[in-house]
Amino acid sequence: MPYRFTVTTTALGIAILLAAVYWPGLPGDFFFDDGPNLLLAPGLRLDALTWDALQQAWGSGTAGPLGRPVAMLTFALNYYWQGFDPFAFKLTNLVIHALCGVLIYAVAQQLLKTASFAGQDNQQASKRAAAVVAAFWLLHPIQLLAVLYVVQRMTSLSALFLLAAFYLHIRGRCGHGWRAPVALAAAWLVLWPLSLFSKETGALFPVFVLAWELLIRWNSTRRLDGFAILLVALSVVITGAGVKFLLSPASWWLWSGYTLRDFTLTERVLTEGRVLWFYIGLMVFPRLGTFGLHHDDLAVSTSLVSPWTTSPSLIGLVAVGAAIVLLRKRVPLVAFGLAWFLIGHSLESTVLPLEIAHEHRNYLPLFGLVLAAVQGVSLAFEAKAQARVLIAVLTVAALLGCAGMTALRAYQFGEPVRRTQMEAQNHPASARAQYEAGATLLGSTASTPKTRALARRHFEVANAVDPHFKLAALGLIQLNCHEAHSAGPAEVDNLIQRLGHTPFAPGDRTVLYNIKEQMNAGALCLTRSEVDGLFVAALANSTVSGWVAAILHSWHADYLWLQQHDLAAARAALARSLKLNPLEDSNRLKWAQLLFISGEREAARVLLLALRGVQLSGEERNTREELLTAINITPP
């Protein structure tokens, strides 16, 4: 009896394999951007499912211009049920990844059916091929960070809604009756906004749709209907308006981000050509030692010939674009897959002043490359029986190889010291990987003279490979405090120089936050003049924006108040913060506390009553009501 593909059995098998592959990594820690985006976001500490608390969580995001409120709300709900338990957050990410895999299957099957895949037994062939696409997409090791790096739920959640919107768009455009307009309305009016408000990469949804209209639908209908023509016209208008905006003075705030980087716009564009081929290499020929959380060890292209691979990389991308045009009629599925990959990188891997490379940027683009490979799958089921068996065996072997490599990565990410030591070993020229390896050893409960010596070596390497990096300089100060009870003037001067005279990158404020927190906890041996000097150096840096300066002044005030008990100096620092950002309600509450402590109870009362009408975290609301009670004001 001939084998007949069964969706349910195959899905169950893939789900079991997916859970087995990722389970060793779920007990891992929070790391890197999880701190500032999750652990330090007071709005995420949801203590009640009230409208005010949910609004607070919705607006608590600082990543991206839109704040990514949908993703932030899901983080807050995770906290409400389990607190900051990394396992719960990562398990939620794994569920989202699995749901994305279901949508990858559904979208792939629709695309394969539309492209008349595999001739006669179209239904069965498209299901088999879609399952292969979904399995590779789910189990490929480049997808790991979207699951085990908690904050990248923003990426996977945005992809979830975008894939659902894309699927409904295809169904709506290919369907008939009342269901078609309902599907289109749900795609464009509900799911697309949810994708966009999970992460800004959701803005690419119309571009993916345009590629489908021009490469897949047009190939089957041989005409552009009114919807497609309208979409093309809108795309031309929006693209023109976007280019005009980017070239206008109004876009200064966007390009100003390059002042925080140690590369220029031109250098980034030149480098991204090489980076895209680096990504393709990771997808096609995955190697465990090449993957990593950080890729700050990639050389920046300073010209078309430095490194020499810059020009060939750019020429290669032009060749991919030409291939899309040439293949659009003969093999539209391959052309669409290549277009999907390039579109998926058009936002984060082009001109925006973002970091050079991150693996999670391939979460959606990987689908395009895997989909393009289904032409080989079609050959497997159209060829002679012997070839079919051989290609099927090779496909299963490649799939199991991807799963095995992902399992090894998950095991690496399941324990902090193991994760960071392997990252440092695989990326010796990465300042971030070296710093995290040292910091994890330093913070380990099993810290010994031997591990501290290794941590010092990691910090020294990080300082040497990147003269702009600041966290490792602080790491050396922490080590000195632990071992010699003195920060070390050379290390303090080095950090002051870096804070004051190198680009102040978005993550550099973490240095000042850590100093403030550790000084208040009595875990750092800096003197007051040294702490003041570090804050003054950072605030004098010309690349520090006004709102960041407001944050730094507020943190300096925390140190002066809570550790030094100098209310006058704390009020002066906090006043500077409020002058820069007078609408920051957390700082207004802090100001009311200082007024209360200083004996100015009437001024504190007026301000606290005004703060009853604003959104505060649960802890801040409790502080406000405790102060009002102390001033003999009964809470409402």
Side-chain angles (χ1 to χ4, degrees):
M1 180 177 180
Y3 167 76
R4 188 162 185 82
F5 176 82
T6 305
V7 173
T8 303
T9 303
T10 304
L12 181 60
I14 294 174
I16 292 172
L17 183 58
L18 182 68
V21 162
Y22 273 101
W23 201 261
L26 298 183
D29 57 338
F30 293 108
F31 50 84
F32 196 39
D33 280 348
D34 289 341
N37 287 286
L38 304 181
L39 306 180
L40 301 182
L44 289 187
R45 299 173 185 270
L46 193 65
D47 55 358
L49 294 180
T50 64
W51 180 248
D52 286 345
L54 292 172
Q55 279 187 307
Q56 178 79 15
W58 177 270
S60 61
T62 57
L66 300 178
R68 306 175 185 179
V70 174
M72 299 305 289
L73 185 58
T74 68
F75 291 134
L77 291 172
N78 259 133
Y79 176 84
Y80 176 77
W81 293 111
Q82 293 291 333
F84 280 128
D85 176 9
F87 185 94
F89 278 80
K90 296 184 184 193
L91 182 60
T92 304
N93 283 12
L94 181 58
V95 171
I96 293 171
H97 184 55
L99 292 175
C100 284
V102 173
L103 289 169
I104 286 288
Y105 170 81
V107 170
Q109 189 188 3
Q110 287 295 315
L111 291 170
L112 293 162
K113 288 168 58 178
T114 307
S116 300
F117 176 79
Q120 297 180 348
D121 189 11
N122 185 47
Q123 186 74 9
Q124 281 292 300
S126 63
K127 286 181 179 180
R128 284 192 294 263
V132 171
V133 171
F136 270 108
W137 187 87
L138 279 168
L139 295 167
H140 199 286
I142 205 170
Q143 303 290 64
L144 177 131
L145 292 179
V147 178
L148 300 184
Y149 180 15
V150 174
V151 78
Q152 288 313 319
R153 181 184 304 176
M154 298 172 177
T155 295
S156 59
L157 197 63
S158 179
L160 177 71
F161 293 124
L162 188 149
L163 289 166
F166 189 74
Y167 175 75
L168 287 184
H169 176 86
I170 297 175
R171 294 298 300 267
R173 293 285 281 146
C174 297
H176 303 283
W178 62 269
R179 290 184 178 86
V182 170
L184 287 172
W188 287 87
L189 301 180
V190 179
L191 292 167
W192 180 32
L194 287 173
S195 176
L196 189 61
F197 285 108
S198 296
K199 190 176 180 180
E200 291 75 12
T201 46
L204 295 175
F205 168 66
V207 192
F208 287 128
V209 168
L210 182 62
W212 179 81
E213 294 281 351
L214 297 179
L215 295 173
I216 302 295
R217 183 174 171 80
W218 180 87
N219 194 66
S220 61
T221 63
R222 295 297 176 182
R223 70 184 184 89
L224 294 179
D225 59 11
F227 184 95
I229 293 172
L230 177 62
L231 188 60
V232 171
L234 286 174
S235 299
V236 171
V237 171
I238 292 172
T239 300
V243 171
K244 183 179 179 181
F245 168 75
L246 293 175
L247 296 176
S248 71
S251 65
W252 68 268
W253 60 272
L254 178 63
W255 306 121
S256 65
Y258 278 102
T259 62
L260 309 178
R261 305 296 181 190
D262 52 2
F263 49 82
T264 66
L265 168 62
T266 301
E267 289 172 339
R268 187 179 198 276
V269 171
L270 292 175
T271 306
E272 288 303 320
R274 292 172 36 243
V275 168
L276 289 183
W277 286 107
F278 170 71
Y279 291 152
I280 292 172
L282 288 178
M283 295 176 191
V284 179
F285 303 108
R287 293 152 293 161
L288 189 61
T290 310
F291 289 105
L293 172 63
H294 305 295
H295 291 289
D296 52 321
D297 50 349
L298 288 173
V300 172
S301 294
T302 55
S303 72
L304 287 170
V305 295
S306 180
W308 70 268
T309 51
T310 302
S311 291
S313 297
L314 295 174
I315 293 170
L317 291 178
V318 173
V320 172
I324 293 171
V325 176
L326 294 174
L327 297 175
R328 71 189 189 282
K329 294 181 179 179
R330 293 172 52 197
V331 276
L333 209 59
V334 173
F336 177 77
L338 296 175
W340 181 282
F341 174 79
L342 294 180
I343 291 167
H345 279 292
S346 62
L347 195 63
E348 294 181 299
S349 301
T350 51
V351 300
L352 296 180
L354 304 174
E355 294 180 359
I356 293 294
H358 280 296
E359 289 174 18
H360 64 261
R361 293 175 185 169
N362 294 279
Y363 192 70
L364 270 178
L366 174 65
F367 172 57
L369 289 191
V370 177
L371 184 66
V374 297
Q375 186 65 29
V377 178
S378 72
L379 293 174
F381 291 98
E382 289 176 349
K384 295 180 180 180
Q386 296 87 340
R388 290 173 59 181
V389 171
L390 176 61
I391 296 176
V393 169
L394 292 176
T395 300
V396 172
L399 184 59
L400 292 177
C402 281
M405 195 171 298
T406 303
L408 289 173
R409 288 199 78 192
Y411 172 75
Q412 171 189 337
F413 275 69
E415 199 279 323
V417 173
R418 182 168 62 235
R419 172 181 65 81
T420 54
Q421 286 299 308
M422 292 183 70
E423 289 276 340
Q425 178 180 333
N426 293 335
H427 297 274
S430 166
R432 285 178 174 171
Q434 295 297 330
Y435 165 73
E436 288 197 347
T440 303
L441 287 173
L442 187 59
S444 171
T445 55
S447 178
T448 65
K450 184 176 179 179
T451 59
R452 289 194 294 273
L454 182 56
R456 182 177 295 277
R457 178 58 183 159
H458 284 304
F459 292 147
E460 289 171 347
V461 171
N463 276 334
V465 298
D466 187 354
H468 296 170
F469 195 64
K470 303 170 181 65
L471 279 167
L474 176 58
L476 287 173
I477 291 173
Q478 292 172 287
L479 262 175
N480 290 343
C481 287
H482 187 86
E483 295 181 339
H485 305 291
S486 172
E491 283 74 15
V492 174
D493 288 344
N494 179 37
L495 183 53
I496 286 176
Q497 191 279 330
R498 293 183 183 224
L499 286 171
H501 302 288
T502 64
F504 201 85
D508 285 347
R509 52 182 170 163
T510 305
V511 174
L512 282 306
Y513 178 83
N514 288 345
I515 289 171
K516 180 260 292 190
E517 287 291 292
Q518 291 175 32
M519 288 299 297
N520 289 350
L524 206 59
C525 63
L526 291 166
T527 65
R528 173 170 174 173
S529 63
E530 289 172 333
V531 173
D532 290 344
L534 291 166
F535 274 97
V536 168
L539 289 163
N541 192 315
S542 61
T543 62
V544 171
S545 64
W547 72 274
V548 171
I551 294 172
L552 298 184
H553 279 302
S554 176
W555 289 345
H556 193 198
D558 289 344
Y559 161 73
L560 294 168
W561 169 21
L562 298 174
Q563 210 278 336
Q564 292 296 311
H565 309 294
D566 188 340
L567 292 183
R571 288 182 61 164
L574 189 58
R576 287 189 287 269
S577 178
L578 287 168
K579 183 177 181 180
L580 291 167
N581 189 1
L583 301 179
E584 173 53 55
D585 293 323
S586 294
N587 281 344
R588 293 172 66 203
L589 176 62
K590 198 181 298 182
W591 184 256
Q593 290 175 278
L594 290 177
L595 289 173
F596 177 81
I597 293 171
S598 301
E600 301 177 43
R601 296 201 167 195
E602 179 58 24
R605 181 186 69 84
V606 172
L607 181 52
L608 290 167
L609 289 174
L611 287 171
R612 274 184 169 169
V614 304
Q615 292 184 3
L616 297 171
S617 69
E619 183 178 347
E620 289 172 333
R621 290 195 299 271
N622 291 338
T623 299
R624 178 193 62 197
E625 298 308 322
E626 287 172 2
L627 287 171
L628 283 171
T629 301
I631 310 175
N632 297 321
I633 300 294
T634 303

